[in-house]
Amino acid sequence: MSRKINNINRILAKRIKNGFYIFLIIFLALIIRLSYLSIYKYESYSSKIETQSTQKVNLNSGRGIIYDRNNNPLTDTNKTQVIIMPKSVITDNYKNINTIKTVTGLDENDIFKAVQDQIDSELIEIEVGKLSTSQINKLEKINIIVEQKTNRYKDDNLLSHTIGYINKTDRNGVSGIEKNMNSELKNSNEKYISVFKAGDLGKKSGLKIIEGSISKVTNNNKNLKLTIDSNIQSQVEKIVDKEENPTAVVISDVKTGEILAMSSRPNFNQNKIEDSIDKTDGQLQNRVISATYPPGSVFKMVVLFAALENKVITNSTYYYNCTGSEQINSKEKLNCNNLSGHGIQTLAEVFANSCNTAFYDIAKKVGKDEIYKAIEKLHLNEKIDIGLDEEVEPNIPDNISLSNLSIGQGSLGFTPLQINQMTQIIANNGLYKPLYIYDSIVDDSMNEIKKLSTSKKEELISPYTSTQIKQFMIGVSQTGTAKSLSDLKGGCGVKTGTAQSSVNHTKVSHGWITGFYPKDNPKYAITVLVEGTEKNSKSAIPIFKDICNSIK
Protein backbone atom coordinates (compact mmCIF):
# COMPACT_ATOMS: atom_id res chain seq x y z
CA MET A 1 0.00 0.00 0.00
CA SER A 2 2.83 2.39 0.94
CA ARG A 3 4.57 1.56 -2.37
CA LYS A 4 1.42 2.56 -4.29
CA ILE A 5 1.19 5.86 -2.37
CA ASN A 6 4.86 6.60 -3.13
CA ASN A 7 4.25 6.01 -6.84
CA ILE A 8 1.29 8.41 -6.76
CA ASN A 9 3.41 11.02 -4.97
CA ARG A 10 6.19 10.67 -7.54
CA ILE A 11 3.70 11.09 -10.42
CA LEU A 12 2.18 14.17 -8.75
CA ALA A 13 5.61 15.67 -8.12
CA LYS A 14 6.61 15.07 -11.75
CA ARG A 15 3.40 16.66 -12.98
CA ILE A 16 3.88 19.67 -10.70
CA LYS A 17 7.47 20.02 -11.91
CA ASN A 18 6.41 19.79 -15.57
CA GLY A 19 3.62 22.28 -14.95
CA PHE A 20 6.11 24.66 -13.34
CA TYR A 21 8.40 24.43 -16.39
CA ILE A 22 5.49 25.05 -18.74
CA PHE A 23 4.43 28.04 -16.65
CA LEU A 24 8.01 29.34 -16.64
CA ILE A 25 8.30 28.99 -20.44
CA ILE A 26 4.99 30.80 -20.97
CA PHE A 27 6.02 33.51 -18.49
CA LEU A 28 9.38 34.01 -20.21
CA ALA A 29 7.69 34.12 -23.63
CA LEU A 30 5.35 36.83 -22.36
CA ILE A 31 8.27 38.81 -20.96
CA ILE A 32 10.15 38.56 -24.27
CA ARG A 33 7.06 39.56 -26.22
CA LEU A 34 6.38 42.54 -23.97
CA SER A 35 10.02 43.60 -24.23
CA TYR A 36 9.87 43.34 -28.02
CA LEU A 37 6.71 45.42 -28.17
CA SER A 38 8.04 48.05 -25.78
CA ILE A 39 11.41 48.39 -27.51
CA TYR A 40 10.92 47.66 -31.19
CA LYS A 41 7.24 48.46 -31.70
CA TYR A 42 7.03 51.41 -29.32
CA GLU A 43 7.20 54.03 -32.06
CA SER A 44 4.65 52.22 -34.24
CA TYR A 45 2.11 51.75 -31.45
CA SER A 46 2.72 55.24 -30.07
CA SER A 47 1.98 56.61 -33.50
CA LYS A 48 -1.25 54.58 -33.68
CA ILE A 49 -2.31 55.71 -30.23
CA GLU A 50 -1.52 59.31 -31.12
CA THR A 51 -3.49 58.99 -34.37
CA GLN A 52 -6.49 57.60 -32.48
CA SER A 53 -6.32 60.25 -29.76
CA THR A 54 -5.32 63.32 -31.79
CA GLN A 55 -6.01 65.00 -35.07
CA LYS A 56 -3.40 67.09 -36.86
CA VAL A 57 -3.53 69.95 -39.32
CA ASN A 58 -0.15 70.35 -40.97
CA LEU A 59 1.12 73.89 -41.27
CA ASN A 60 4.02 72.92 -43.50
CA SER A 61 5.38 69.88 -45.33
CA GLY A 62 7.27 68.62 -42.30
CA ARG A 63 10.42 68.39 -44.42
CA GLY A 64 13.81 70.04 -44.37
CA ILE A 65 14.16 73.19 -46.47
CA ILE A 66 16.18 72.96 -49.70
CA TYR A 67 18.63 75.86 -50.17
CA ASP A 68 20.80 77.02 -53.05
CA ARG A 69 24.57 77.64 -52.82
CA ASN A 70 23.98 81.18 -51.47
CA ASN A 71 21.61 80.03 -48.71
CA ASN A 72 18.53 81.18 -50.60
CA PRO A 73 15.56 78.87 -49.91
CA LEU A 74 14.27 76.99 -52.94
CA THR A 75 11.31 75.56 -51.02
CA ASP A 76 9.04 76.61 -48.14
CA THR A 77 8.83 80.31 -49.04
CA ASN A 78 5.21 80.55 -50.17
CA LYS A 79 3.13 81.40 -47.10
CA THR A 80 -0.61 81.84 -46.66
CA GLN A 81 -2.81 82.62 -43.64
CA VAL A 82 -5.41 80.07 -42.51
CA ILE A 83 -8.07 79.82 -39.82
CA ILE A 84 -8.47 76.48 -38.03
CA MET A 85 -11.41 75.56 -35.85
CA PRO A 86 -13.28 72.56 -34.43
CA LYS A 87 -16.32 71.81 -36.56
CA SER A 88 -18.51 72.43 -33.51
CA VAL A 89 -17.60 76.15 -33.62
CA ILE A 90 -19.72 76.66 -36.73
CA THR A 91 -22.22 73.80 -36.51
CA ASP A 92 -25.66 75.44 -36.08
CA ASN A 93 -23.93 78.52 -34.65
CA TYR A 94 -24.81 81.46 -36.89
CA LYS A 95 -23.38 83.94 -34.43
CA ASN A 96 -19.91 82.45 -34.91
CA ILE A 97 -20.44 82.17 -38.67
CA ASN A 98 -21.32 85.88 -38.83
CA THR A 99 -18.21 86.72 -36.82
CA ILE A 100 -16.06 84.76 -39.29
CA LYS A 101 -17.75 86.50 -42.25
CA THR A 102 -17.29 89.96 -40.74
CA VAL A 103 -13.64 89.45 -39.76
CA THR A 104 -12.33 87.55 -42.79
CA GLY A 105 -14.54 88.75 -45.63
CA LEU A 106 -15.58 85.17 -46.42
CA ASP A 107 -19.18 84.51 -47.36
CA GLU A 108 -21.36 81.60 -46.24
CA ASN A 109 -20.67 79.67 -49.44
CA ASP A 110 -16.91 79.78 -48.74
CA ILE A 111 -17.44 78.52 -45.20
CA PHE A 112 -19.89 75.72 -45.98
CA LYS A 113 -17.87 74.58 -48.99
CA ALA A 114 -14.86 74.23 -46.70
CA VAL A 115 -16.94 72.16 -44.28
CA GLN A 116 -18.23 69.95 -47.08
CA ASP A 117 -14.72 69.41 -48.51
CA GLN A 118 -13.51 68.37 -45.04
CA ILE A 119 -16.69 66.57 -43.96
CA ASP A 120 -14.84 63.67 -42.28
CA SER A 121 -12.56 65.95 -40.29
CA GLU A 122 -13.26 67.32 -36.85
CA LEU A 123 -11.07 70.31 -37.69
CA ILE A 124 -11.94 72.77 -40.44
CA GLU A 125 -9.18 74.71 -42.21
CA ILE A 126 -9.93 77.73 -44.43
CA GLU A 127 -7.45 79.97 -46.26
CA VAL A 128 -7.99 83.69 -45.62
CA GLY A 129 -6.34 86.99 -46.45
CA LYS A 130 -3.94 88.80 -44.13
CA LEU A 131 -5.62 89.62 -40.82
CA SER A 132 -4.76 92.32 -38.30
CA THR A 133 -4.04 91.65 -34.62
CA SER A 134 -7.48 92.88 -33.56
CA GLN A 135 -9.17 90.63 -36.13
CA ILE A 136 -7.16 87.65 -34.91
CA ASN A 137 -8.19 88.40 -31.32
CA LYS A 138 -11.89 88.35 -32.27
CA LEU A 139 -11.51 84.91 -33.83
CA GLU A 140 -9.51 83.51 -30.93
CA LYS A 141 -12.34 84.46 -28.56
CA ILE A 142 -14.60 81.90 -30.28
CA ASN A 143 -11.98 79.13 -30.24
CA ILE A 144 -10.57 79.76 -33.74
CA ILE A 145 -6.84 79.67 -34.33
CA VAL A 146 -5.18 81.86 -36.96
CA GLU A 147 -1.94 80.45 -38.31
CA GLN A 148 0.54 80.97 -41.11
CA LYS A 149 0.76 77.96 -43.42
CA THR A 150 3.89 77.34 -45.50
CA ASN A 151 3.49 75.66 -48.88
CA ARG A 152 6.34 73.38 -49.95
CA TYR A 153 6.74 74.75 -53.46
CA LYS A 154 6.92 78.19 -55.00
CA ASP A 155 4.35 79.39 -57.50
CA ASP A 156 7.06 79.79 -60.16
CA ASN A 157 8.11 76.10 -59.78
CA LEU A 158 11.79 76.98 -60.06
CA LEU A 159 14.07 73.93 -60.51
CA SER A 160 10.93 71.76 -60.44
CA HIS A 161 12.23 68.67 -62.26
CA THR A 162 15.38 68.50 -60.15
CA ILE A 163 13.65 69.12 -56.82
CA GLY A 164 10.80 66.78 -57.75
CA TYR A 165 7.65 66.53 -55.67
CA ILE A 166 6.15 64.76 -52.66
CA ASN A 167 3.08 62.62 -52.08
CA LYS A 168 0.55 64.91 -50.39
CA THR A 169 -0.83 62.07 -48.27
CA ASP A 170 2.25 60.62 -46.59
CA ARG A 171 4.59 63.49 -47.57
CA ASN A 172 7.24 61.10 -48.89
CA GLY A 173 9.33 62.13 -51.88
CA VAL A 174 8.10 60.75 -55.23
CA SER A 175 10.73 62.09 -57.62
CA GLY A 176 13.92 64.12 -57.88
CA ILE A 177 15.76 65.34 -54.80
CA GLU A 178 12.61 64.87 -52.70
CA LYS A 179 12.79 61.12 -53.39
CA ASN A 180 16.53 60.57 -53.21
CA MET A 181 17.06 62.63 -50.05
CA ASN A 182 13.78 61.56 -48.44
CA SER A 183 15.43 60.07 -45.34
CA GLU A 184 17.33 63.31 -44.70
CA LEU A 185 14.45 65.67 -45.43
CA LYS A 186 11.44 63.91 -43.90
CA ASN A 187 10.25 64.70 -40.37
CA SER A 188 12.24 67.91 -40.16
CA ASN A 189 10.93 71.39 -39.29
CA GLU A 190 7.51 69.97 -38.52
CA LYS A 191 4.82 72.47 -37.66
CA TYR A 192 1.22 71.49 -37.05
CA ILE A 193 -1.89 72.00 -34.96
CA SER A 194 -2.62 69.01 -32.71
CA VAL A 195 -6.12 68.49 -31.28
CA PHE A 196 -6.78 65.89 -28.59
CA LYS A 197 -9.97 63.87 -29.12
CA ALA A 198 -12.18 63.06 -26.14
CA GLY A 199 -12.29 59.49 -24.81
CA ASP A 200 -15.28 57.54 -23.39
CA LEU A 201 -16.13 60.36 -20.99
CA GLY A 202 -16.28 62.79 -23.86
CA LYS A 203 -18.47 60.45 -25.92
CA LYS A 204 -20.99 60.17 -23.07
CA SER A 205 -21.11 63.94 -22.90
CA GLY A 206 -21.62 64.21 -26.65
CA LEU A 207 -18.14 65.68 -27.24
CA LYS A 208 -15.79 64.66 -30.02
CA ILE A 209 -13.01 67.14 -29.28
CA ILE A 210 -11.99 68.48 -25.89
CA GLU A 211 -12.30 72.27 -25.94
CA GLY A 212 -9.10 74.22 -25.41
CA SER A 213 -6.88 71.31 -26.41
CA ILE A 214 -5.45 72.90 -29.56
CA SER A 215 -1.68 73.27 -29.48
CA LYS A 216 1.12 74.14 -31.88
CA VAL A 217 4.19 71.89 -32.13
CA THR A 218 7.44 72.70 -33.90
CA ASN A 219 10.42 70.44 -34.45
CA ASN A 220 13.47 72.01 -36.12
CA ASN A 221 16.05 69.75 -37.67
CA LYS A 222 17.96 69.15 -40.90
CA ASN A 223 17.96 71.01 -44.22
CA LEU A 224 19.68 70.42 -47.57
CA LYS A 225 22.07 72.79 -49.34
CA LEU A 226 22.67 72.42 -53.10
CA THR A 227 25.33 73.70 -55.51
CA ILE A 228 22.58 75.36 -57.59
CA ASP A 229 22.74 79.14 -58.07
CA SER A 230 19.12 80.29 -57.95
CA ASN A 231 19.94 83.55 -59.77
CA ILE A 232 21.44 81.67 -62.74
CA GLN A 233 18.64 79.09 -62.58
CA SER A 234 16.03 81.85 -62.71
CA GLN A 235 17.71 83.52 -65.70
CA VAL A 236 17.91 80.20 -67.57
CA GLU A 237 14.24 79.41 -66.97
CA LYS A 238 13.14 82.86 -68.17
CA ILE A 239 15.09 82.28 -71.38
CA VAL A 240 13.83 78.75 -72.12
CA ASP A 241 10.24 79.71 -71.33
CA LYS A 242 10.32 81.81 -74.51
CA GLU A 243 11.01 78.66 -76.56
CA GLU A 244 7.97 76.60 -77.55
CA ASN A 245 9.92 73.41 -78.28
CA PRO A 246 10.99 71.09 -75.43
CA THR A 247 14.44 71.97 -74.08
CA ALA A 248 17.12 70.78 -71.69
CA VAL A 249 19.84 73.01 -70.22
CA VAL A 250 22.61 72.28 -67.73
CA ILE A 251 25.34 74.63 -66.51
CA SER A 252 28.29 73.55 -64.39
CA ASP A 253 31.32 75.25 -62.86
CA VAL A 254 34.31 74.31 -65.02
CA LYS A 255 36.79 74.43 -62.13
CA THR A 256 34.78 72.55 -59.48
CA GLY A 257 32.17 70.39 -61.23
CA GLU A 258 29.37 72.03 -59.22
CA ILE A 259 26.06 72.06 -61.09
CA LEU A 260 24.81 75.64 -61.12
CA ALA A 261 21.58 75.23 -63.10
CA MET A 262 19.42 72.45 -64.58
CA SER A 263 16.30 73.13 -66.58
CA SER A 264 13.85 70.91 -68.45
CA ARG A 265 10.87 72.04 -70.48
CA PRO A 266 7.91 71.76 -70.63
CA ASN A 267 7.54 72.54 -66.96
CA PHE A 268 4.94 71.26 -64.46
CA ASN A 269 3.18 72.61 -61.39
CA GLN A 270 4.53 70.91 -58.25
CA ASN A 271 1.43 72.01 -56.35
CA LYS A 272 -0.93 70.38 -58.90
CA ILE A 273 0.75 67.17 -60.04
CA GLU A 274 -2.61 65.73 -61.04
CA ASP A 275 -2.69 68.18 -63.97
CA SER A 276 0.46 66.66 -65.48
CA ILE A 277 0.13 62.92 -64.80
CA ASP A 278 -1.77 62.10 -67.99
CA LYS A 279 -0.05 64.60 -70.28
CA THR A 280 1.83 63.11 -73.24
CA ASP A 281 4.36 65.91 -73.73
CA GLY A 282 6.72 64.65 -71.03
CA GLN A 283 6.07 67.43 -68.52
CA LEU A 284 7.29 65.31 -65.61
CA GLN A 285 10.41 64.08 -67.43
CA ASN A 286 13.73 65.65 -66.47
CA ARG A 287 15.24 65.77 -69.96
CA VAL A 288 18.67 66.71 -68.61
CA ILE A 289 19.18 63.31 -66.99
CA SER A 290 16.42 60.90 -68.03
CA ALA A 291 16.42 61.16 -71.81
CA THR A 292 19.21 60.14 -74.19
CA TYR A 293 19.63 61.78 -77.57
CA PRO A 294 21.89 61.08 -80.54
CA PRO A 295 24.75 63.55 -79.98
CA GLY A 296 25.10 64.46 -83.65
CA SER A 297 28.17 66.54 -84.47
CA VAL A 298 28.83 67.21 -80.77
CA PHE A 299 30.31 63.69 -80.80
CA LYS A 300 32.98 64.86 -83.22
CA MET A 301 34.78 66.12 -80.11
CA VAL A 302 35.23 62.45 -79.13
CA VAL A 303 36.40 61.38 -82.60
CA LEU A 304 38.90 64.24 -82.69
CA PHE A 305 40.08 63.40 -79.17
CA ALA A 306 40.76 59.80 -80.22
CA ALA A 307 42.61 60.88 -83.37
CA LEU A 308 44.83 63.41 -81.59
CA GLU A 309 45.54 61.02 -78.71
CA ASN A 310 46.67 58.32 -81.10
CA LYS A 311 48.60 60.83 -83.22
CA VAL A 312 47.02 59.60 -86.46
CA ILE A 313 46.53 63.25 -87.43
CA THR A 314 47.96 66.60 -86.32
CA ASN A 315 46.74 70.14 -86.65
CA SER A 316 49.66 71.11 -88.86
CA THR A 317 49.63 68.16 -91.25
CA TYR A 318 46.00 67.16 -91.77
CA TYR A 319 44.14 68.48 -94.81
CA TYR A 320 40.93 67.25 -96.37
CA ASN A 321 39.22 68.08 -99.65
CA CYS A 322 35.44 68.00 -99.12
CA THR A 323 33.40 67.53 -102.30
CA GLY A 324 30.03 67.42 -100.51
CA SER A 325 29.66 63.65 -100.15
CA GLU A 326 31.56 60.39 -99.63
CA GLN A 327 30.60 56.98 -100.97
CA ILE A 328 30.59 54.51 -98.04
CA ASN A 329 29.78 51.43 -100.10
CA SER A 330 27.75 50.51 -103.16
CA LYS A 331 24.48 51.29 -101.34
CA GLU A 332 25.38 54.00 -98.84
CA LYS A 333 26.58 57.55 -99.33
CA LEU A 334 27.48 60.04 -96.59
CA ASN A 335 26.47 63.63 -97.32
CA CYS A 336 28.22 66.60 -95.82
CA ASN A 337 26.21 69.42 -94.28
CA ASN A 338 27.44 71.48 -97.25
CA LEU A 339 26.36 69.53 -100.33
CA SER A 340 28.44 71.81 -102.54
CA GLY A 341 31.53 70.83 -100.58
CA HIS A 342 33.84 72.79 -98.30
CA GLY A 343 36.88 72.33 -100.54
CA ILE A 344 40.34 71.90 -99.07
CA GLN A 345 40.34 72.43 -95.29
CA THR A 346 42.78 72.35 -92.41
CA LEU A 347 41.91 70.36 -89.28
CA ALA A 348 40.74 73.53 -87.53
CA GLU A 349 38.47 74.32 -90.47
CA VAL A 350 37.15 70.75 -90.60
CA PHE A 351 36.11 71.08 -86.94
CA ALA A 352 34.75 74.63 -87.33
CA ASN A 353 32.69 73.65 -90.38
CA SER A 354 31.65 70.32 -88.80
CA CYS A 355 32.49 68.56 -92.05
CA ASN A 356 30.87 65.11 -92.05
CA THR A 357 32.97 63.52 -94.76
CA ALA A 358 36.21 64.72 -93.18
CA PHE A 359 35.24 63.19 -89.85
CA TYR A 360 34.45 59.92 -91.57
CA ASP A 361 37.94 60.08 -93.02
CA ILE A 362 39.39 60.76 -89.55
CA ALA A 363 37.35 57.90 -88.05
CA LYS A 364 38.71 55.49 -90.64
CA LYS A 365 42.25 56.52 -89.73
CA VAL A 366 41.79 56.13 -85.97
CA GLY A 367 39.46 53.08 -85.96
CA LYS A 368 36.32 52.20 -84.04
CA ASP A 369 38.16 50.61 -81.07
CA GLU A 370 40.09 53.78 -80.30
CA ILE A 371 36.94 55.87 -80.53
CA TYR A 372 35.29 53.57 -77.97
CA LYS A 373 38.34 54.01 -75.71
CA ALA A 374 37.96 57.79 -76.02
CA ILE A 375 34.31 57.45 -74.97
CA GLU A 376 35.50 55.77 -71.76
CA LYS A 377 38.33 58.21 -71.20
CA LEU A 378 35.94 61.15 -71.40
CA HIS A 379 33.52 59.39 -68.99
CA LEU A 380 30.76 59.17 -71.58
CA ASN A 381 30.35 55.44 -70.99
CA GLU A 382 28.74 55.89 -67.56
CA LYS A 383 26.07 57.74 -65.67
CA ILE A 384 27.29 60.91 -64.00
CA ASP A 385 25.42 59.64 -60.93
CA ILE A 386 24.55 62.93 -59.24
CA GLY A 387 22.12 61.21 -56.87
CA LEU A 388 18.83 61.30 -58.77
CA ASP A 389 17.01 58.05 -59.54
CA GLU A 390 15.75 59.36 -62.86
CA GLU A 391 19.26 59.52 -64.35
CA VAL A 392 19.78 56.94 -67.10
CA GLU A 393 22.76 55.18 -68.65
CA PRO A 394 24.08 56.20 -72.08
CA ASN A 395 23.26 54.07 -75.09
CA ILE A 396 26.49 52.90 -76.76
CA PRO A 397 25.81 49.97 -79.13
CA ASP A 398 28.67 47.73 -80.26
CA ASN A 399 27.33 47.29 -83.76
CA ILE A 400 27.04 50.91 -84.85
CA SER A 401 28.54 51.59 -88.27
CA LEU A 402 31.70 53.65 -88.48
CA SER A 403 29.97 56.19 -90.71
CA ASN A 404 27.31 56.81 -88.06
CA LEU A 405 29.81 56.69 -85.20
CA SER A 406 32.02 59.29 -86.86
CA ILE A 407 29.23 61.90 -86.88
CA GLY A 408 27.28 60.88 -83.74
CA GLN A 409 24.18 59.53 -85.47
CA GLY A 410 22.25 56.26 -85.38
CA SER A 411 21.39 54.56 -82.10
CA LEU A 412 24.16 56.27 -80.13
CA GLY A 413 22.62 58.21 -77.23
CA PHE A 414 23.72 60.44 -74.33
CA THR A 415 22.00 62.67 -71.80
CA PRO A 416 22.69 66.43 -71.82
CA LEU A 417 24.31 65.96 -68.40
CA GLN A 418 26.83 63.48 -69.83
CA ILE A 419 27.67 65.85 -72.68
CA ASN A 420 28.15 68.62 -70.13
CA GLN A 421 30.62 66.47 -68.16
CA MET A 422 32.69 65.93 -71.32
CA THR A 423 32.60 69.69 -71.94
CA GLN A 424 33.81 70.38 -68.40
CA ILE A 425 36.83 68.12 -68.97
CA ILE A 426 37.81 69.84 -72.21
CA ALA A 427 37.19 73.36 -70.85
CA ASN A 428 39.29 72.58 -67.76
CA ASN A 429 42.29 71.53 -69.88
CA GLY A 430 41.72 67.84 -69.24
CA LEU A 431 41.16 68.04 -65.47
CA TYR A 432 38.08 65.90 -64.80
CA LYS A 433 35.92 67.22 -61.98
CA PRO A 434 32.92 64.92 -61.40
CA LEU A 435 29.68 66.89 -61.62
CA TYR A 436 27.64 67.04 -58.42
CA ILE A 437 24.61 68.86 -57.02
CA TYR A 438 24.51 68.09 -53.26
CA ASP A 439 26.63 70.35 -51.06
CA SER A 440 25.75 69.59 -47.43
CA ILE A 441 23.19 68.93 -44.71
CA VAL A 442 22.75 72.09 -42.62
CA ASP A 443 20.82 73.14 -39.52
CA ASP A 444 18.41 76.06 -39.29
CA SER A 445 21.31 78.47 -38.73
CA MET A 446 23.02 77.14 -41.90
CA ASN A 447 25.73 75.46 -39.87
CA GLU A 448 27.08 72.39 -41.64
CA ILE A 449 25.99 69.08 -40.11
CA LYS A 450 27.36 66.79 -42.81
CA LYS A 451 29.34 67.44 -45.99
CA LEU A 452 28.01 65.68 -49.08
CA SER A 453 30.29 64.80 -51.97
CA THR A 454 30.50 62.61 -55.05
CA SER A 455 32.12 59.19 -54.73
CA LYS A 456 34.04 59.69 -57.98
CA LYS A 457 37.63 60.95 -57.97
CA GLU A 458 39.03 63.75 -60.08
CA GLU A 459 41.73 62.91 -62.60
CA LEU A 460 43.89 64.57 -65.24
CA ILE A 461 42.94 63.42 -68.74
CA SER A 462 45.28 64.24 -71.63
CA PRO A 463 45.79 67.97 -70.98
CA TYR A 464 47.55 68.65 -74.31
CA THR A 465 44.83 66.99 -76.39
CA SER A 466 42.12 68.74 -74.38
CA THR A 467 43.67 72.18 -74.84
CA GLN A 468 43.91 71.61 -78.61
CA ILE A 469 40.21 70.74 -78.81
CA LYS A 470 39.46 73.74 -76.62
CA GLN A 471 41.12 76.02 -79.17
CA PHE A 472 39.22 74.36 -82.02
CA MET A 473 35.97 75.04 -80.13
CA ILE A 474 36.80 78.74 -79.95
CA GLY A 475 37.20 78.65 -83.74
CA VAL A 476 33.65 77.25 -84.12
CA SER A 477 32.25 80.36 -82.39
CA GLN A 478 34.32 82.74 -84.49
CA THR A 479 34.22 81.42 -88.05
CA GLY A 480 32.34 78.09 -87.95
CA THR A 481 28.83 76.75 -87.48
CA ALA A 482 28.27 79.05 -84.47
CA LYS A 483 29.81 82.24 -85.90
CA SER A 484 26.71 84.13 -84.74
CA LEU A 485 28.41 83.98 -81.33
CA SER A 486 31.47 85.89 -82.59
CA ASP A 487 30.19 89.17 -81.12
CA LEU A 488 29.58 87.65 -77.67
CA LYS A 489 31.43 89.74 -75.10
CA GLY A 490 34.15 87.62 -73.50
CA GLY A 491 33.98 85.07 -76.30
CA CYS A 492 33.30 81.37 -75.95
CA GLY A 493 34.21 77.94 -77.28
CA VAL A 494 31.47 75.61 -78.55
CA LYS A 495 30.53 72.62 -80.64
CA THR A 496 27.16 72.49 -82.33
CA GLY A 497 25.28 69.44 -83.46
CA THR A 498 22.14 68.33 -85.26
CA ALA A 499 20.81 64.96 -84.13
CA GLN A 500 18.50 63.05 -86.44
CA SER A 501 15.58 61.35 -84.71
CA SER A 502 11.85 60.74 -85.15
CA VAL A 503 8.62 61.67 -83.36
CA ASN A 504 5.49 59.66 -84.17
CA HIS A 505 7.24 58.27 -87.26
CA THR A 506 8.05 61.80 -88.44
CA LYS A 507 11.72 62.67 -88.98
CA VAL A 508 12.93 65.50 -86.75
CA SER A 509 16.26 67.07 -85.84
CA HIS A 510 17.32 67.97 -82.31
CA GLY A 511 19.57 71.01 -81.95
CA TRP A 512 22.66 70.71 -79.72
CA ILE A 513 25.25 73.17 -78.52
CA THR A 514 27.78 72.57 -75.78
CA GLY A 515 30.63 74.82 -74.80
CA PHE A 516 32.37 77.05 -72.29
CA TYR A 517 32.15 80.72 -71.38
CA PRO A 518 34.12 82.98 -71.40
CA LYS A 519 36.82 81.77 -73.81
CA ASP A 520 39.75 82.83 -71.59
CA ASN A 521 39.86 81.14 -68.18
CA PRO A 522 36.38 79.60 -68.67
CA LYS A 523 34.02 79.58 -65.71
CA TYR A 524 30.90 77.92 -67.09
CA ALA A 525 30.32 74.71 -69.05
CA ILE A 526 26.95 75.15 -70.78
CA THR A 527 24.99 72.49 -72.64
CA VAL A 528 21.70 73.18 -74.42
CA LEU A 529 19.42 70.84 -76.33
CA VAL A 530 16.30 71.93 -78.24
CA GLU A 531 14.11 69.01 -79.26
CA GLY A 532 12.76 68.87 -82.78
CA THR A 533 9.00 68.45 -83.06
CA GLU A 534 6.62 67.47 -85.85
CA LYS A 535 6.14 71.21 -86.47
CA ASN A 536 9.78 72.33 -86.63
CA SER A 537 13.40 71.78 -85.70
CA LYS A 538 15.48 74.58 -84.21
CA SER A 539 19.03 75.59 -83.41
CA ALA A 540 20.18 75.74 -79.78
CA ILE A 541 22.61 78.60 -80.47
CA PRO A 542 20.23 81.50 -79.60
CA ILE A 543 19.49 80.04 -76.15
CA PHE A 544 23.22 79.52 -75.49
CA LYS A 545 23.93 83.14 -76.45
CA ASP A 546 21.12 84.52 -74.28
CA ILE A 547 22.36 82.48 -71.31
CA CYS A 548 25.93 83.80 -71.69
CA ASN A 549 24.65 87.37 -71.89
CA SER A 550 22.51 86.89 -68.78
CA ILE A 551 25.19 85.42 -66.51
CA LYS A 552 28.27 87.44 -67.49
Side-chain angles (χ1 to χ4, degrees), residues 476-478 480-488 541-542 545:
V476 175
S477 69
Q478 294 176 341
T481 56
K483 60 186 176 184
S484 59
L485 298 173
S486 59
D487 61 347
L488 183 65
I541 297 174
K545 189 172 187 177

Side-chain angles (χ1 to χ4, degrees), residues 136-385:
I136 291 172
N137 290 337
K138 289 178 182 178
L139 294 174
E140 288 178 343
K141 286 179 180 178
I142 57 173
N143 203 27
I144 295 176
I145 281 184
V146 180
E147 270 293 348
Q148 192 176 66
K149 188 168 185 174
T150 303
N151 297 317
R152 180 62 170 172
Y153 304 116
K154 297 181 178 182
D155 290 335
D156 62 6
N157 296 293
L158 192 74
L159 197 66
S160 57
H161 292 87
T162 304
I163 290 174
Y165 62 95
I166 60 173
N167 183 308
K168 292 179 181 179
T169 303
D170 60 17
R171 301 191 294 177
N172 279 314
V174 176
S175 71
I177 291 169
E178 296 281 30
K179 179 180 180 182
N180 284 79
M181 299 298 287
N182 192 59
S183 60
E184 297 283 1
L185 294 172
K186 195 177 181 185
N187 300 325
S188 292
N189 302 307
E190 289 185 279
K191 188 177 181 183
Y192 53 88
I193 299 296
S194 181
V195 178
F196 294 91
K197 300 175 185 177
D200 291 337
L201 181 61
K203 290 177 182 176
K204 291 176 183 177
S205 305
L207 298 174
K208 291 186 178 178
I209 297 180
I210 299 175
E211 290 188 15
S213 64
I214 298 179
S215 61
K216 181 172 64 177
V217 182
T218 303
N219 173 29
N220 295 321
N221 210 330
K222 297 180 292 185
N223 306 293
L224 176 63
K225 185 174 180 178
L226 305 178
T227 62
I228 292 292
D229 187 316
S230 59
N231 292 321
I232 295 177
Q233 181 72 32
S234 180
Q235 290 295 330
V236 168
E237 296 199 15
K238 286 177 183 177
I239 292 167
V240 296
D241 280 339
K242 299 174 186 176
E243 173 56 59
E244 61 179 9
N245 284 25
T247 59
V249 178
V250 56
I251 303 175
S252 62
D253 187 308
V254 167
K255 304 298 183 186
T256 65
E258 295 169 300
I259 296 173
L260 303 175
M262 282 177 64
S263 168
S264 180
R265 288 295 184 271
N267 204 0
F268 69 96
N269 188 341
Q270 293 161 291
N271 295 305
K272 294 183 178 180
I273 296 300
E274 60 277 7
D275 292 347
S276 299
I277 293 294
D278 296 326
K279 293 292 177 65
T280 59
D281 58 358
Q283 289 183 14
L284 297 178
Q285 183 182 32
N286 188 342
R287 286 169 161 81
V288 175
I289 61 171
S290 65
T292 60
Y293 302 87
S297 293
V298 166
F299 190 74
K300 290 171 182 173
M301 295 168 65
V302 181
V303 178
L304 182 58
F305 184 94
L308 293 173
E309 275 288 276
N310 289 278
K311 298 180 174 59
V312 298
I313 60 171
T314 66
N315 186 31
S316 60
T317 61
Y318 184 78
Y319 294 89
Y320 182 80
N321 183 19
C322 172
T323 60
S325 64
E326 177 80 17
Q327 197 69 37
I328 306 300
N329 51 48
S330 60
K331 295 181 179 180
E332 185 181 358
K333 183 172 72 171
L334 177 65
N335 289 323
C336 189
N337 50 39
N338 183 349
L339 293 176
S340 299
H342 291 107
I344 298 175
Q345 306 166 95
T346 64
L347 182 58
E349 290 170 333
V350 162
F351 191 81
N353 294 328
S354 199
C355 181
N356 286 345
T357 55
F359 267 91
Y360 177 56
D361 178 65
I362 293 171
K364 286 190 293 183
K365 292 179 185 300
V366 70
K368 187 186 287 190
D369 289 344
E370 294 303 325
I371 295 174
Y372 278 115
K373 288 179 184 177
I375 289 174
E376 291 185 22
K377 206 163 188 180
L378 292 168
H379 291 269
L380 282 171
N381 65 317
E382 61 191 13
K383 287 200 304 184
I384 307 304
D385 199 15

